Amino acid sequence: MRFVLLVLLLPSLAQAYVENITHGYVNCMACHISQSGGGVLTDYGRSLSKELMSTWQGWNGIEKPLFGAIENSEKIKIGGNIRSIQTHLKNDSFKQGQAFIMQQNIEVAAQYMQLWVVATVGLQGGPSSSATKNDIISERHYISYDVNEESRLRVGKFRRNFGLNDPAHTRLTKSPLGFGSNSETYQLEFSKFSEQDEIFIATDLGDINDPKSKESEKSFLINYARYIGSDSKVGVNYLYGETGNNRRNLFGLYSVWKLPFEMFFKGEADYQQLLSADETIHLMASTLTLGYQGFKGFTPYLVSDFVQRDLSKHNTRTSLLGIGTQWLPLAHIEFQVEIQKRIDRTPRRIASNIAWMMFHFYL
Amino acid sequence: MKKLISIILFYSLTSNANVFVVDQGDIEFKAKGKPALISINGKSDHLTGKLTETDNGFSGEFDLDLNHLSTGIELRDEHLKKTYLKVDQYPQAKLQFSNLKVLKNQEIDFVASLTLHGQTKEINGNAIVSDKNTINAEFIINLADFSIDIPSFKGITVAKDVKIEVNASLKEMIK
């Protein structure tokens, strides 16, 4: 139980800053090789990490891999992440605090003509009690083909592009819906981009290592987003999923908006209908974040999350209010701190005070 | 005598003219970077200008100090000004109107002359002038027309067409 709670607290394992939409980067491809964001950076993305996102710019070439010790070539890009976290959780039942490494991997992307081959390899992170800790894993490995300037086709293992590609996968619109940590799956994906909008259509092949598993979900996903002006975005998406035990229809709306006074809003609301042989369960989840970008590299924010796992039962609700800040002092380095007040009604009301502090170094 | 007639004639011609100067104004440019379709917006509020209203319409010019253009990223501003606009050599952009027919609160098409990067070209745009003497004009320029190299940086290349918006609040000068 303690481990489960701890895992629920963990923040990002991906690397994508959707609020950069408010700076005119309405899709992810300027900065990331992955069309849905996260992972290995393009040279432009590295430059932006220094020029736009960091408090101090440091020296010439600091944004290059390993502070400039390694050069990306035109055809090969190097990435990788180390993330460590200190967590704290306190409620009536127990008090817990731990520090551990969440993620340690390297990622390489190689280009051949219109083809990108991308793969990560690393060690499974997590607290010392985790059975799989230090197992060798590859979170992502895929081949992406540039069909033309506007369209891409991708096959392999990567994260399903549903809702906001927010790094905080512990948000209540992520984990309860199956998009939490290590939820990358084998997919075939087509994406198309224009100056006004973008669309992703993907089919999930399920657990190819254990195709007979009743837990493995095969799914179809469509995600359409419209750009509002040059600095905001509204999206709608639908996923149909099927396992050996149930089927689900998942609908979602999401948005990132630039607001006056250097502020931004990002939010997502999802509704899921889960159908099994003997019942249908309706779930709703939302996450709302209001952030301030007035200090370069330093982004304080307020966050509100909500999920009701069964709309017919009040005692399946979880809600939280949080305040946090993200700070990127120099290229390659990120700190994030968040304090939350979380109320779980499952079925007993449990009020928890939660805090975590994350350190992130990207190669 | 001729001089006196000229002065009287000049006075009679100009006495009906209303002269407006830019009280507050800005210029914004909007460009797209490919292949990732990023939006690159730049802005400057260092806009000056004067328009004279006669029976034939508005004539005059807007001037922009390009040294104050900002896109929100310092390195990008540096590249824009030094490498592409060459503001050391060409610090001003000038938009000149001649006999612009204005119907207040209605969108009008106009032809004007734009001087940028040492090149002067005719441009076509549209504008709205409000009752309160604010003018909002927009037009598209092709960078090649002004001999500006297409900006490119680490895999992102700016599209050749750039949209420009001029927003100015005009103040009538006391005669």
Side-chain angles (χ1 to χ4, degrees), chain A residues 157-168:
Chain A
K157 186 185 178 191
F158 49 91
R159 188 176 176 180
R160 284 183 285 190
N161 186 23
F162 189 92
L164 285 174
N165 190 2
D166 193 309

Side-chain angles (χ1 to χ4, degrees), chain B residues 13 65 157 173:
Chain B
L13 283 173
D65 184 347
T157 301
M173 285 183 76

Side-chain angles (χ1 to χ4, degrees), chain A residues 265-268 286-290 302-305:
Chain A
F265 164 81
K266 58 183 178 183
E268 178 180 344
S286 66
T287 182
L288 310 169
T289 301
L290 187 66
L302 297 170
V303 62
S304 166
D305 275 16

Side-chain angles (χ1 to χ4, degrees), chain A residues 191-226:
Chain A
S191 53
K192 184 168 169 52
F193 302 83
S194 79
E195 289 189 12
Q196 291 81 37
D197 53 13
E198 64 186 46
I199 188 166
F200 286 77
I201 301 170
T203 178
D204 187 337
L205 311 175
D207 186 350
I208 63 170
N209 297 317
D210 187 7
K212 290 184 180 172
S213 164
K214 287 207 163 188
E215 303 300 318
S216 167
E217 183 178 60
K218 291 181 179 172
S219 65
F220 168 79
L221 180 155
I222 184 162
N223 182 341
Y224 174 80
R226 183 89 183 166

Side-chain angles (χ1 to χ4, degrees), chain A residues 39-256:
Chain A
V40 70
L41 291 163
T42 62
D43 293 344
Y44 187 90
R46 284 190 174 276
S47 179
L48 212 63
S49 73
K50 172 188 172 187
E51 302 294 337
L52 178 70
M53 298 182 66
S54 300
T55 304
W56 297 297
Q57 296 187 357
W59 55 90
N60 278 340
I62 185 178
E63 75 280 10
K64 293 177 182 174
L66 213 55
F67 296 101
I70 303 171
E71 288 271 348
N72 272 338
S73 74
E74 194 184 333
K75 303 288 184 188
I76 296 179
K77 312 295 179 199
I78 298 166
N81 297 280
I82 296 173
R83 280 185 166 87
S84 66
I85 192 163
Q86 168 74 54
T87 65
H88 169 82
L89 184 148
K90 185 181 177 187
N91 58 36
D92 292 343
S93 307
F94 65 89
K95 182 178 174 183
Q96 183 187 56
Q98 281 199 59
F100 55 90
I101 292 175
M102 282 197 298
Q103 184 184 35
Q104 42 196 330
N105 69 18
I106 58 166
E107 183 165 16
V108 177
Q111 186 184 28
Y112 176 71
M113 299 178 79
Q114 279 81 43
L115 213 62
W116 278 101
V117 179
V118 180
T120 68
V121 63
L123 300 177
Q124 177 72 56
S128 52
S129 55
S130 167
T132 57
K133 186 174 173 64
N134 290 333
D135 284 358
I136 294 174
I137 57 162
S138 175
E139 294 162 279
R140 291 181 292 279
H141 41 262
Y142 58 82
I143 297 170
S144 177
Y145 175 67
D146 293 351
V147 179
N148 53 43
E149 207 173 68
E150 297 177 337
S151 308
R152 288 189 184 183
L153 199 58
R154 178 162 63 154
V155 62
K157 186 185 178 191
F158 49 91
R159 188 176 176 180
R160 284 183 285 190
N161 186 23
F162 189 92
L164 285 174
N165 190 2
D166 193 309
H169 64 67
T170 56
R171 296 290 178 229
L172 296 176
T173 49
K174 296 297 177 195
S175 293
L177 295 172
F179 306 124
S181 176
N182 293 325
S183 62
E184 291 85 359
T185 55
Y186 285 93
Q187 301 168 65
L188 174 64
E189 177 195 80
F190 172 77
S191 53
K192 184 168 169 52
F193 302 83
S194 79
E195 289 189 12
Q196 291 81 37
D197 53 13
E198 64 186 46
I199 188 166
F200 286 77
I201 301 170
T203 178
D204 187 337
L205 311 175
D207 186 350
I208 63 170
N209 297 317
D210 187 7
K212 290 184 180 172
S213 164
K214 287 207 163 188
E215 303 300 318
S216 167
E217 183 178 60
K218 291 181 179 172
S219 65
F220 168 79
L221 180 155
I222 184 162
N223 182 341
Y224 174 80
R226 183 89 183 166
Y227 310 145
I228 311 297
S230 59
D231 49 26
S232 299
K233 183 175 181 175
V234 175
V236 55
N237 37 206
Y238 168 71
L239 180 145
Y240 172 77
E242 218 173 72
T243 70
N245 299 320
N246 52 46
R247 291 177 288 133
R248 67 167 168 161
N249 292 296
L250 175 60
F251 302 89
L253 288 168
Y254 62 92
S255 184
V256 181

Side-chain angles (χ1 to χ4, degrees), chain A residues 288-342:
Chain A
L288 310 169
T289 301
L290 187 66
Y292 177 70
Q293 294 178 308
F295 315 107
K296 196 175 175 191
F298 188 80
T299 309
Y301 61 87
L302 297 170
V303 62
S304 166
D305 275 16
F306 173 82
V307 64
Q308 186 164 343
R309 290 170 178 80
D310 185 343
L311 291 181
S312 66
K313 295 174 186 168
H314 286 296
N315 60 6
T316 60
R317 278 188 293 175
T318 297
S319 57
L320 70 83
L321 277 173
I323 184 168
T325 190
Q326 178 194 53
W327 183 37
L328 293 92
L330 278 175
H332 303 276
I333 294 171
E334 175 190 6
F335 296 97
Q336 192 172 359
V337 179
E338 190 170 312
I339 300 166
Q340 302 170 349
K341 183 77 175 181
R342 176 173 168 138

Side-chain angles (χ1 to χ4, degrees), chain A residues 252-272:
Chain A
L253 288 168
Y254 62 92
S255 184
V256 181
W257 281 91
K258 183 174 185 174
L259 301 176
F261 309 113
E262 308 287 340
M263 298 185 78
F264 69 88
F265 164 81
K266 58 183 178 183
E268 178 180 344
D270 301 312
Y271 163 76
Q272 177 180 270

Side-chain angles (χ1 to χ4, degrees), chain A residues 24 26-27 150 193-195 197 227, chain B residues 32-39:
Chain A
V26 287
N27 66 55
E150 297 177 337
F193 302 83
S194 79
E195 289 189 12
D197 53 13
Y227 310 145
Chain B
K32 285 287 176 190
K34 294 186 174 183
L37 301 170
I38 65 171
S39 296

